[in-house]
Coordinates of all heavy atoms in Angstrom, one line a residue:
M1 N 20.9 -60.4 -89.7 CA 21.3 -60.1 -88.3 C 20.4 -59.0 -87.8 O 20.2 -58.0 -88.4 CB 22.8 -59.6 -88.3 CG 23.7 -60.7 -88.7 SD 25.4 -60.2 -88.6 CE 25.5 -59.1 -90.0
G2 N 19.9 -59.3 -86.6 CA 19.0 -58.3 -86.0 C 19.6 -57.7 -84.8 O 20.8 -57.4 -84.7
Y3 N 18.8 -57.6 -83.8 CA 19.1 -57.0 -82.5 C 19.8 -57.9 -81.6 O 20.4 -57.5 -80.6 CB 17.9 -56.3 -81.9 CG 17.3 -55.3 -82.8 CD1 16.2 -55.5 -83.5 CD2 17.9 -54.1 -82.9 CE1 15.6 -54.6 -84.3 CE2 17.4 -53.1 -83.7 CZ 16.2 -53.3 -84.4 OH 15.7 -52.4 -85.2
L4 N 19.7 -59.2 -81.8 CA 20.2 -60.2 -80.9 C 21.5 -60.8 -81.5 O 21.7 -60.8 -82.7 CB 19.2 -61.3 -80.6 CG 17.9 -60.9 -80.1 CD1 16.9 -62.1 -80.0 CD2 18.1 -60.3 -78.7
N5 N 22.4 -61.3 -80.6 CA 23.5 -62.0 -81.1 C 23.1 -63.3 -81.8 O 22.1 -63.9 -81.5 CB 24.5 -62.4 -79.9 CG 25.1 -61.1 -79.3 OD1 25.1 -60.1 -80.0 ND2 25.5 -61.2 -78.1
V6 N 23.9 -63.7 -82.8 CA 23.6 -64.9 -83.6 C 24.2 -66.1 -83.0 O 25.4 -66.1 -82.6 CB 24.2 -64.6 -85.1 CG1 23.9 -65.8 -86.0 CG2 23.6 -63.4 -85.7
P7 N 23.5 -67.2 -82.9 CA 24.0 -68.4 -82.3 C 25.2 -68.9 -83.1 O 25.3 -68.7 -84.3 CB 22.9 -69.4 -82.4 CG 21.6 -68.6 -82.6 CD 22.0 -67.3 -83.3
E8 N 26.1 -69.6 -82.4 CA 27.4 -70.1 -83.0 C 27.1 -71.0 -84.2 O 27.8 -70.9 -85.2 CB 28.2 -70.8 -81.9 CG 29.6 -71.2 -82.4 CD 30.3 -71.8 -81.2 OE1 30.2 -71.4 -80.1 OE2 31.1 -72.7 -81.5
E9 N 26.1 -71.8 -84.1 CA 25.8 -72.8 -85.2 C 25.4 -72.0 -86.5 O 25.7 -72.3 -87.6 CB 24.7 -73.7 -84.9 CG 24.9 -74.5 -83.6 CD 24.5 -73.8 -82.3 OE1 23.5 -73.1 -82.3 OE2 25.3 -73.9 -81.4
A10 N 24.6 -70.9 -86.3 CA 24.1 -70.1 -87.4 C 25.3 -69.3 -88.0 O 25.3 -69.2 -89.2 CB 23.0 -69.1 -86.9
V11 N 26.2 -68.9 -87.2 CA 27.4 -68.2 -87.7 C 28.2 -69.1 -88.6 O 28.6 -68.8 -89.7 CB 28.3 -67.6 -86.6 CG1 29.6 -67.0 -87.1 CG2 27.5 -66.5 -85.8
A12 N 28.4 -70.4 -88.1 CA 29.1 -71.4 -88.9 C 28.4 -71.7 -90.2 O 29.1 -71.8 -91.3 CB 29.3 -72.6 -88.1
A13 N 27.1 -71.8 -90.2 CA 26.3 -72.1 -91.4 C 26.4 -70.9 -92.4 O 26.6 -71.1 -93.6 CB 24.9 -72.4 -91.0
L14 N 26.3 -69.7 -91.9 CA 26.4 -68.5 -92.8 C 27.8 -68.4 -93.4 O 27.9 -68.2 -94.6 CB 26.1 -67.3 -92.0 CG 26.2 -65.9 -92.7 CD1 25.2 -65.9 -93.9 CD2 25.9 -64.8 -91.8
F15 N 28.8 -68.7 -92.6 CA 30.2 -68.7 -93.1 C 30.3 -69.8 -94.2 O 30.9 -69.5 -95.3 CB 31.2 -68.9 -92.0 CG 32.6 -68.9 -92.5 CD1 33.2 -67.8 -92.8 CD2 33.3 -70.1 -92.6 CE1 34.5 -67.8 -93.3 CE2 34.6 -70.1 -93.0 CZ 35.2 -68.9 -93.4
Q16 N 29.8 -70.9 -94.0 CA 29.8 -72.0 -95.1 C 29.2 -71.6 -96.4 O 29.7 -71.8 -97.4 CB 29.3 -73.3 -94.5 CG 30.1 -74.0 -93.5 CD 31.5 -74.3 -94.0 OE1 31.6 -74.8 -95.1 NE2 32.5 -74.0 -93.2
V17 N 28.0 -71.0 -96.2 CA 27.3 -70.5 -97.4 C 28.1 -69.5 -98.2 O 28.3 -69.5 -99.4 CB 25.9 -70.0 -97.1 CG1 25.2 -69.2 -98.2 CG2 25.0 -71.1 -96.6
I18 N 28.6 -68.5 -97.5 CA 29.4 -67.4 -98.1 C 30.7 -68.0 -98.7 O 31.0 -67.7 -99.8 CB 29.7 -66.3 -97.1 CG1 28.4 -65.6 -96.7 CG2 30.8 -65.4 -97.6 CD1 28.5 -64.6 -95.6
T19 N 31.3 -68.9 -98.0 CA 32.6 -69.5 -98.5 C 32.3 -70.3 -99.8 O 33.0 -70.2 -100.8 CB 33.2 -70.4 -97.5 OG1 33.5 -69.6 -96.3 CG2 34.5 -71.1 -98.0
Q20 N 31.2 -71.1 -99.8 CA 30.9 -71.9 -101.0 C 30.4 -71.0 -102.2 O 30.7 -71.4 -103.3 CB 29.8 -72.9 -100.6 CG 30.3 -74.0 -99.7 CD 29.3 -75.0 -99.3 OE1 28.1 -74.9 -99.7 NE2 29.6 -75.8 -98.4
R21 N 29.8 -69.9 -101.9 CA 29.4 -69.0 -103.0 C 30.4 -68.1 -103.5 O 30.3 -67.5 -104.6 CB 28.1 -68.2 -102.6 CG 26.9 -69.0 -102.3 CD 26.3 -69.6 -103.6 NE 25.9 -68.5 -104.5 CZ 25.7 -68.7 -105.8 NH1 25.8 -69.9 -106.3 NH2 25.4 -67.7 -106.6
H22 N 31.5 -67.9 -102.7 CA 32.5 -66.9 -103.0 C 33.1 -67.2 -104.3 O 33.6 -68.3 -104.6 CB 33.6 -67.0 -101.9 CG 34.8 -66.1 -102.1 ND1 34.7 -64.7 -102.1 CD2 36.1 -66.4 -102.3 CE1 35.8 -64.2 -102.3 NE2 36.7 -65.2 -102.4
L23 N 33.1 -66.2 -105.2 CA 33.7 -66.2 -106.6 C 32.9 -67.1 -107.5 O 33.3 -67.3 -108.6 CB 35.2 -66.6 -106.6 CG 36.1 -65.6 -105.8 CD1 37.5 -66.2 -105.9 CD2 36.0 -64.2 -106.4
K24 N 31.8 -67.7 -107.0 CA 31.0 -68.6 -107.9 C 29.7 -68.0 -108.3 O 29.1 -68.4 -109.3 CB 30.8 -69.9 -107.2 CG 32.0 -70.7 -107.0 CD 31.7 -72.0 -106.3 CE 33.0 -72.8 -106.0 NZ 32.7 -73.9 -105.1
G25 N 29.2 -67.1 -107.5 CA 27.9 -66.5 -107.9 C 27.6 -65.3 -106.9 O 28.4 -65.0 -106.1
S26 N 26.5 -64.7 -107.2 CA 26.1 -63.5 -106.4 C 25.5 -63.9 -105.1 O 24.9 -64.9 -104.9 CB 25.1 -62.7 -107.2 OG 25.6 -62.3 -108.4
I27 N 25.7 -63.0 -104.2 CA 25.1 -63.0 -102.8 C 24.5 -61.7 -102.6 O 25.1 -60.6 -102.7 CB 26.2 -63.3 -101.7 CG1 26.9 -64.6 -101.9 CG2 25.5 -63.2 -100.3 CD1 28.0 -64.9 -101.0
V28 N 23.2 -61.7 -102.2 CA 22.6 -60.5 -101.8 C 22.3 -60.5 -100.3 O 21.7 -61.5 -99.9 CB 21.2 -60.3 -102.6 CG1 20.5 -59.0 -102.1 CG2 21.5 -60.2 -104.1
L29 N 22.8 -59.6 -99.6 CA 22.6 -59.6 -98.2 C 22.2 -58.2 -97.7 O 22.7 -57.2 -98.2 CB 24.0 -59.9 -97.6 CG 24.0 -60.2 -96.1 CD1 24.1 -61.7 -95.9 CD2 25.2 -59.5 -95.5
T30 N 21.2 -58.2 -96.9 CA 20.7 -57.0 -96.3 C 20.8 -57.0 -94.8 O 20.6 -58.1 -94.2 CB 19.2 -56.7 -96.7 OG1 18.4 -57.7 -96.2 CG2 19.1 -56.6 -98.2
T31 N 21.1 -55.9 -94.2 CA 21.1 -55.8 -92.7 C 21.0 -54.4 -92.3 O 21.2 -53.4 -93.1 CB 22.5 -56.4 -92.2 OG1 22.5 -56.2 -90.8 CG2 23.7 -55.6 -92.8
N32 N 20.5 -54.2 -91.1 CA 20.4 -52.8 -90.6 C 21.7 -52.4 -89.8 O 21.7 -51.4 -89.2 CB 19.2 -52.7 -89.7 CG 19.2 -53.6 -88.5 OD1 19.9 -54.6 -88.5 ND2 18.4 -53.3 -87.5
L33 N 22.7 -53.3 -89.8 CA 23.9 -53.0 -89.1 C 25.1 -52.7 -90.0 O 25.2 -53.3 -91.1 CB 24.3 -54.2 -88.3 CG 23.3 -54.8 -87.3 CD1 23.8 -56.1 -86.7 CD2 23.1 -53.8 -86.2
G34 N 25.9 -51.8 -89.6 CA 27.1 -51.5 -90.4 C 28.1 -52.7 -90.1 O 28.1 -53.4 -89.1
V35 N 29.0 -52.8 -91.1 CA 30.0 -54.0 -91.0 C 30.9 -53.9 -89.7 O 31.3 -54.9 -89.2 CB 30.8 -54.1 -92.2 CG1 30.0 -54.5 -93.4 CG2 31.6 -52.9 -92.5
A36 N 31.1 -52.7 -89.2 CA 31.9 -52.5 -88.0 C 31.3 -53.2 -86.8 O 32.0 -53.6 -85.9 CB 32.1 -51.0 -87.7
S37 N 30.0 -53.4 -86.8 CA 29.3 -54.0 -85.6 C 29.0 -55.5 -85.8 O 28.5 -56.1 -84.9 CB 28.0 -53.3 -85.3 OG 27.1 -53.3 -86.4
W38 N 29.4 -56.1 -86.9 CA 29.1 -57.5 -87.2 C 29.8 -58.4 -86.2 O 29.3 -59.4 -85.7 CB 29.6 -57.9 -88.6 CG 28.6 -57.5 -89.6 CD1 27.7 -56.4 -89.6 CD2 28.4 -58.1 -90.9 NE1 27.0 -56.3 -90.8 CE2 27.4 -57.4 -91.6 CE3 29.0 -59.2 -91.5 CZ2 27.0 -57.8 -92.8 CZ3 28.5 -59.6 -92.7 CH2 27.5 -58.9 -93.4
A39 N 31.1 -58.1 -85.8 CA 31.8 -59.0 -84.9 C 31.1 -59.1 -83.6 O 31.1 -60.2 -83.0 CB 33.3 -58.5 -84.8
S40 N 30.6 -58.0 -83.1 CA 29.9 -58.0 -81.8 C 28.6 -58.9 -81.9 O 28.2 -59.5 -80.9 CB 29.6 -56.6 -81.3 OG 28.7 -56.0 -82.1
R41 N 28.0 -58.9 -83.0 CA 26.7 -59.7 -83.2 C 27.0 -61.2 -83.5 O 26.3 -62.1 -83.0 CB 25.9 -59.2 -84.3 CG 25.4 -57.8 -84.1 CD 24.4 -57.7 -83.0 NE 24.1 -56.3 -82.9 CZ 23.1 -55.8 -82.2 NH1 22.4 -56.6 -81.4 NH2 22.9 -54.6 -82.1
L42 N 28.1 -61.4 -84.3 CA 28.4 -62.8 -84.6 C 29.3 -63.5 -83.6 O 29.3 -64.7 -83.6 CB 29.1 -62.8 -86.0 CG 28.3 -62.3 -87.2 CD1 29.2 -62.3 -88.4 CD2 27.1 -63.1 -87.4
G43 N 29.9 -62.8 -82.7 CA 30.6 -63.4 -81.6 C 32.1 -63.8 -81.9 O 32.8 -64.0 -80.9
D44 N 32.5 -64.0 -83.1 CA 33.8 -64.4 -83.4 C 34.5 -63.5 -84.4 O 34.2 -63.5 -85.6 CB 33.8 -65.8 -84.0 CG 35.2 -66.4 -84.1 OD1 36.2 -65.7 -84.2 OD2 35.3 -67.7 -84.3
P45 N 35.4 -62.6 -83.9 CA 36.0 -61.6 -84.8 C 36.8 -62.2 -86.0 O 36.8 -61.6 -87.1 CB 37.0 -60.8 -83.9 CG 36.5 -61.1 -82.5 CD 35.8 -62.5 -82.5
M46 N 37.4 -63.4 -85.8 CA 38.1 -64.0 -86.9 C 37.2 -64.5 -88.0 O 37.5 -64.3 -89.2 CB 39.0 -65.2 -86.3 CG 40.1 -64.7 -85.4 SD 41.3 -63.6 -86.2 CE 42.2 -64.8 -87.1
V47 N 36.1 -65.2 -87.6 CA 35.2 -65.7 -88.6 C 34.5 -64.5 -89.3 O 34.3 -64.5 -90.5 CB 34.1 -66.6 -88.0 CG1 33.0 -66.9 -88.9 CG2 34.8 -67.9 -87.5
T48 N 34.2 -63.4 -88.5 CA 33.6 -62.2 -89.1 C 34.5 -61.6 -90.1 O 34.1 -61.2 -91.2 CB 33.2 -61.2 -88.0 OG1 32.4 -61.9 -87.1 CG2 32.5 -60.0 -88.6
A49 N 35.8 -61.5 -89.8 CA 36.7 -60.9 -90.7 C 36.9 -61.7 -92.0 O 36.9 -61.1 -93.1 CB 38.1 -60.7 -90.0
A50 N 36.9 -63.0 -91.9 CA 37.0 -63.9 -93.0 C 35.7 -63.8 -93.9 O 35.8 -63.7 -95.1 CB 37.2 -65.3 -92.6
M51 N 34.6 -63.7 -93.2 CA 33.3 -63.6 -94.0 C 33.3 -62.3 -94.7 O 32.9 -62.2 -95.9 CB 32.2 -63.7 -92.9 CG 30.8 -64.0 -93.5 SD 29.5 -64.1 -92.3 CE 30.2 -65.2 -91.1
L52 N 33.6 -61.2 -94.0 CA 33.6 -59.9 -94.7 C 34.6 -59.8 -95.8 O 34.4 -59.1 -96.8 CB 33.8 -58.8 -93.6 CG 32.7 -58.5 -92.7 CD1 33.1 -57.6 -91.6 CD2 31.5 -58.0 -93.5
D53 N 35.8 -60.4 -95.6 CA 36.8 -60.4 -96.7 C 36.2 -61.0 -98.0 O 36.4 -60.5 -99.0 CB 38.0 -61.2 -96.2 CG 39.1 -61.3 -97.3 OD1 39.6 -60.2 -97.7 OD2 39.5 -62.4 -97.7
R54 N 35.5 -62.1 -97.8 CA 34.9 -62.8 -99.0 C 33.7 -61.9 -99.6 O 33.6 -61.8 -100.8 CB 34.4 -64.2 -98.6 CG 35.5 -65.2 -98.4 CD 35.1 -66.4 -97.6 NE 36.1 -67.4 -97.5 CZ 37.1 -67.3 -96.7 NH1 37.3 -66.3 -95.9 NH2 38.0 -68.3 -96.6
L55 N 32.9 -61.4 -98.7 CA 31.8 -60.6 -99.1 C 32.2 -59.3 -99.8 O 31.5 -58.9 -100.8 CB 30.8 -60.3 -98.0 CG 30.0 -61.4 -97.4 CD1 29.3 -61.0 -96.1 CD2 28.9 -61.8 -98.5
L56 N 33.2 -58.7 -99.3 CA 33.5 -57.3 -99.8 C 34.5 -57.3 -100.9 O 34.8 -56.3 -101.5 CB 34.0 -56.5 -98.6 CG 32.9 -56.2 -97.5 CD1 33.6 -55.5 -96.4 CD2 31.7 -55.5 -98.1
Q57 N 35.1 -58.5 -101.3 CA 36.1 -58.5 -102.3 C 35.7 -57.9 -103.6 O 36.4 -57.1 -104.2 CB 36.6 -60.0 -102.5 CG 37.7 -60.1 -103.5 CD 38.2 -61.5 -103.7 OE1 37.6 -62.4 -103.2 NE2 39.2 -61.7 -104.5
R58 N 34.5 -58.3 -104.0 CA 34.0 -57.8 -105.3 C 32.6 -57.2 -105.1 O 31.7 -57.3 -106.0 CB 33.9 -58.9 -106.3 CG 35.2 -59.5 -106.7 CD 35.1 -60.5 -107.8 NE 36.4 -61.0 -108.1 CZ 36.6 -62.0 -109.0 NH1 35.5 -62.5 -109.6 NH2 37.8 -62.4 -109.3
A59 N 32.4 -56.6 -104.0 CA 31.0 -56.1 -103.6 C 30.7 -54.8 -104.1 O 31.5 -53.9 -104.4 CB 30.9 -56.1 -102.1
V60 N 29.4 -54.6 -104.2 CA 28.8 -53.3 -104.4 C 28.0 -53.0 -103.1 O 27.0 -53.8 -102.9 CB 27.9 -53.2 -105.7 CG1 27.2 -51.8 -105.7 CG2 28.7 -53.5 -106.9
V61 N 28.4 -52.1 -102.3 CA 27.7 -51.8 -101.1 C 26.8 -50.6 -101.3 O 27.3 -49.5 -101.7 CB 28.7 -51.6 -99.9 CG1 28.0 -51.3 -98.6 CG2 29.6 -52.8 -99.8
L62 N 25.5 -50.8 -101.0 CA 24.6 -49.7 -101.1 C 24.2 -49.3 -99.7 O 23.5 -50.1 -99.0 CB 23.4 -50.1 -101.9 CG 23.6 -50.5 -103.3 CD1 22.3 -51.1 -103.9 CD2 24.2 -49.4 -104.1
G63 N 24.5 -48.1 -99.3 CA 24.0 -47.6 -98.0 C 22.8 -46.8 -98.2 O 22.8 -45.8 -99.0
I64 N 21.7 -47.1 -97.5 CA 20.5 -46.4 -97.6 C 20.3 -45.6 -96.3 O 20.2 -46.2 -95.2 CB 19.3 -47.3 -97.9 CG1 19.6 -48.0 -99.2 CG2 18.0 -46.5 -97.9 CD1 18.6 -49.2 -99.5
D65 N 20.2 -44.3 -96.4 CA 20.0 -43.5 -95.2 C 18.7 -42.7 -95.3 O 18.5 -42.1 -96.3 CB 21.2 -42.5 -95.1 CG 21.2 -41.8 -93.8 OD1 20.6 -42.3 -92.8 OD2 21.8 -40.7 -93.7
G66 N 17.9 -42.9 -94.4 CA 16.6 -42.2 -94.4 C 15.6 -42.9 -93.5 O 15.9 -43.9 -92.8
P67 N 14.4 -42.5 -93.5 CA 13.4 -43.1 -92.7 C 13.0 -44.5 -93.1 O 13.1 -44.8 -94.3 CB 12.1 -42.2 -92.8 CG 12.3 -41.5 -94.1 CD 13.8 -41.4 -94.3
F68 N 12.8 -45.4 -92.2 CA 12.4 -46.8 -92.5 C 11.0 -46.7 -93.2 O 10.1 -45.9 -92.8 CB 12.3 -47.6 -91.3 CG 13.7 -47.8 -90.6 CD1 14.0 -47.2 -89.5 CD2 14.6 -48.6 -91.2 CE1 15.2 -47.3 -88.9 CE2 15.9 -48.8 -90.6 CZ 16.2 -48.1 -89.5
Y69 N 10.8 -47.6 -94.1 CA 9.5 -47.7 -94.8 C 8.3 -47.9 -93.8 O 7.3 -47.2 -93.9 CB 9.5 -48.8 -95.9 CG 8.3 -49.0 -96.6 CD1 7.9 -48.1 -97.6 CD2 7.4 -50.0 -96.3 CE1 6.8 -48.2 -98.3 CE2 6.2 -50.1 -97.0 CZ 5.9 -49.2 -98.0 OH 4.7 -49.3 -98.7
R70 N 8.5 -48.9 -92.9 CA 7.4 -49.2 -92.0 C 7.2 -48.0 -91.1 O 6.0 -47.7 -90.7 CB 7.7 -50.4 -91.2 CG 7.4 -51.7 -92.0 CD 7.8 -52.9 -91.2 NE 9.2 -53.0 -91.4 CZ 9.9 -54.1 -91.1 NH1 9.3 -55.1 -90.6 NH2 11.2 -54.1 -91.2
L71 N 8.2 -47.3 -90.7 CA 8.1 -46.2 -89.8 C 7.3 -45.0 -90.5 O 6.5 -44.4 -90.0 CB 9.4 -45.7 -89.3 CG 9.4 -44.5 -88.4 CD1 8.6 -44.8 -87.1 CD2 10.8 -44.1 -88.0
R72 N 7.7 -44.8 -91.8 CA 7.0 -43.8 -92.6 C 5.5 -44.1 -92.7 O 4.7 -43.2 -92.6 CB 7.7 -43.7 -94.0 CG 7.2 -42.6 -94.8 CD 7.9 -42.6 -96.1 NE 7.8 -43.8 -96.8 CZ 8.7 -44.3 -97.7 NH1 9.7 -43.6 -98.0 NH2 8.5 -45.4 -98.3
T73 N 5.2 -45.4 -92.9 CA 3.8 -45.8 -93.0 C 3.1 -45.5 -91.7 O 1.9 -45.0 -91.7 CB 3.7 -47.2 -93.4 OG1 4.4 -47.4 -94.7 CG2 2.2 -47.7 -93.6
H74 N 3.7 -45.9 -90.6 CA 3.1 -45.7 -89.3 C 2.9 -44.2 -89.0 O 1.9 -43.8 -88.5 CB 4.0 -46.3 -88.2 CG 3.6 -46.0 -86.8 ND1 2.5 -46.6 -86.2 CD2 4.2 -45.1 -85.9 CE1 2.4 -46.1 -85.0 NE2 3.4 -45.2 -84.8
Q75 N 3.9 -43.4 -89.3 CA 3.7 -42.0 -89.1 C 2.6 -41.4 -89.9 O 1.9 -40.5 -89.5 CB 5.0 -41.2 -89.4 CG 6.1 -41.5 -88.4 CD 7.5 -41.0 -88.9 OE1 7.8 -40.8 -90.0 NE2 8.3 -40.8 -87.9
A76 N 2.4 -41.9 -91.2 CA 1.3 -41.4 -92.0 C 0.0 -41.8 -91.4 O -1.0 -41.0 -91.3 CB 1.4 -41.9 -93.4
R77 N -0.1 -43.0 -90.9 CA -1.4 -43.4 -90.3 C -1.7 -42.6 -89.0 O -2.8 -42.3 -88.7 CB -1.3 -44.9 -89.9 CG -1.7 -45.8 -91.1 CD -1.9 -47.2 -90.7 NE -0.5 -47.8 -90.9 CZ -0.1 -48.9 -90.3 NH1 -0.7 -49.4 -89.4 NH2 1.1 -49.3 -90.6
T78 N -0.6 -42.4 -88.2 CA -0.8 -41.6 -87.0 C -1.3 -40.2 -87.3 O -2.2 -39.6 -86.7 CB 0.6 -41.5 -86.2 OG1 1.0 -42.8 -85.9 CG2 0.4 -40.7 -85.0
E79 N -0.7 -39.6 -88.4 CA -1.1 -38.2 -88.8 C -2.6 -38.2 -89.3 O -3.3 -37.3 -89.0 CB -0.2 -37.7 -89.8 CG -0.4 -36.2 -90.2 CD -0.3 -35.3 -89.0 OE1 0.6 -35.6 -88.1 OE2 -1.1 -34.3 -88.9
D80 N -3.0 -39.3 -90.0 CA -4.3 -39.4 -90.5 C -5.3 -39.5 -89.3 O -6.4 -38.8 -89.3 CB -4.5 -40.6 -91.3 CG -3.9 -40.4 -92.7 OD1 -3.5 -39.3 -93.1 OD2 -3.6 -41.5 -93.4
L81 N -4.9 -40.3 -88.2 CA -5.8 -40.4 -87.0 C -5.8 -39.0 -86.3 O -6.9 -38.6 -85.8 CB -5.2 -41.4 -86.1 CG -5.4 -42.9 -86.6 CD1 -4.7 -43.8 -85.6 CD2 -6.9 -43.2 -86.6
R82 N -4.8 -38.3 -86.2 CA -4.8 -37.0 -85.6 C -5.7 -36.0 -86.3 O -6.4 -35.3 -85.7 CB -3.4 -36.4 -85.5 CG -2.5 -37.1 -84.5 CD -1.2 -36.4 -84.3 NE -0.4 -37.2 -83.4 CZ 0.9 -37.3 -83.4 NH1 1.6 -36.8 -84.4 NH2 1.6 -38.0 -82.5
R83 N -5.6 -36.0 -87.6 CA -6.5 -35.2 -88.4 C -8.0 -35.5 -88.2 O -8.8 -34.7 -88.1 CB -6.2 -35.3 -89.9 CG -5.0 -34.5 -90.3 CD -4.8 -34.5 -91.8 NE -3.4 -34.3 -92.1 CZ -2.7 -35.2 -92.8 NH1 -3.2 -36.3 -93.3 NH2 -1.4 -34.9 -93.0
A84 N -8.3 -36.8 -88.1 CA -9.6 -37.3 -87.9 C -10.1 -36.9 -86.5 O -11.3 -36.5 -86.4 CB -9.7 -38.8 -88.1
V85 N -9.3 -36.9 -85.5 CA -9.7 -36.5 -84.2 C -9.9 -35.0 -84.1 O -10.9 -34.6 -83.5 CB -8.6 -37.0 -83.2 CG1 -8.9 -36.4 -81.8 CG2 -8.6 -38.5 -83.1
R86 N -9.1 -34.2 -84.8 CA -9.3 -32.8 -84.8 C -10.6 -32.4 -85.5 O -11.1 -31.3 -85.2 CB -8.1 -32.1 -85.5 CG -6.8 -32.2 -84.6 CD -5.7 -31.5 -85.4 NE -4.4 -32.0 -84.8 CZ -3.3 -32.1 -85.5 NH1 -3.3 -31.8 -86.8 NH2 -2.2 -32.6 -85.0
S87 N -11.0 -33.1 -86.5 CA -12.2 -32.8 -87.3 C -13.5 -33.0 -86.6 O -13.7 -33.6 -85.6 CB -12.2 -33.5 -88.6 OG -11.0 -33.3 -89.3

């Protein structure tokens, strides 16, 4: 899930995948959104609640707080360019 709302067909497909994998195997999911904002992106609060119920039942949630990897790389390149211009 990114910055745009997810189309209804994609939400239905994601729900089916999660439902079929529930209690049968692992699911690794990454997102830049907290679970509180999923309903607004997915568009259907009931489907979102059911999906989260399945995902979080036996989940290990890892929250990573800090600078984004790509942003850190960009900042390093910017600083290198600044040093080169000053020299």
Side-chain angles (χ1 to χ4, degrees):
M1 290 183 289
Y3 299 103
L4 302 174
N5 292 339
V6 180
E8 188 176 325
E9 306 83 40
V11 173
L14 179 61
F15 180 74
Q16 287 300 316
V17 169
I18 290 171
T19 299
Q20 290 175 7
R21 294 290 300 161
H22 178 66
L23 300 178
K24 293 180 184 169
S26 299
I27 299 172
V28 177
L29 190 99
T30 64
T31 180
N32 61 340
L33 301 173
V35 294
S37 61
W38 281 28
S40 65
R41 300 292 179 169
L42 296 177
D44 187 341
M46 295 298 283
V47 171
T48 303
M51 198 180 308
L52 287 171
D53 180 59
R54 287 162 176 77
L55 285 171
L56 298 174
Q57 181 180 6
R58 296 182 178 180
V60 174
V61 178
L62 301 173
I64 301 171
D65 189 22
F68 295 106
Y69 179 76
R70 283 177 278 196
L71 180 59
R72 187 177 56 205
T73 304
H74 173 72
Q75 289 171 337
R77 276 188 267 154
T78 302
E79 189 58 36
D80 289 343
L81 286 172
R82 286 184 182 147
R83 282 190 207 118
V85 170
R86 289 181 201 148
S87 301

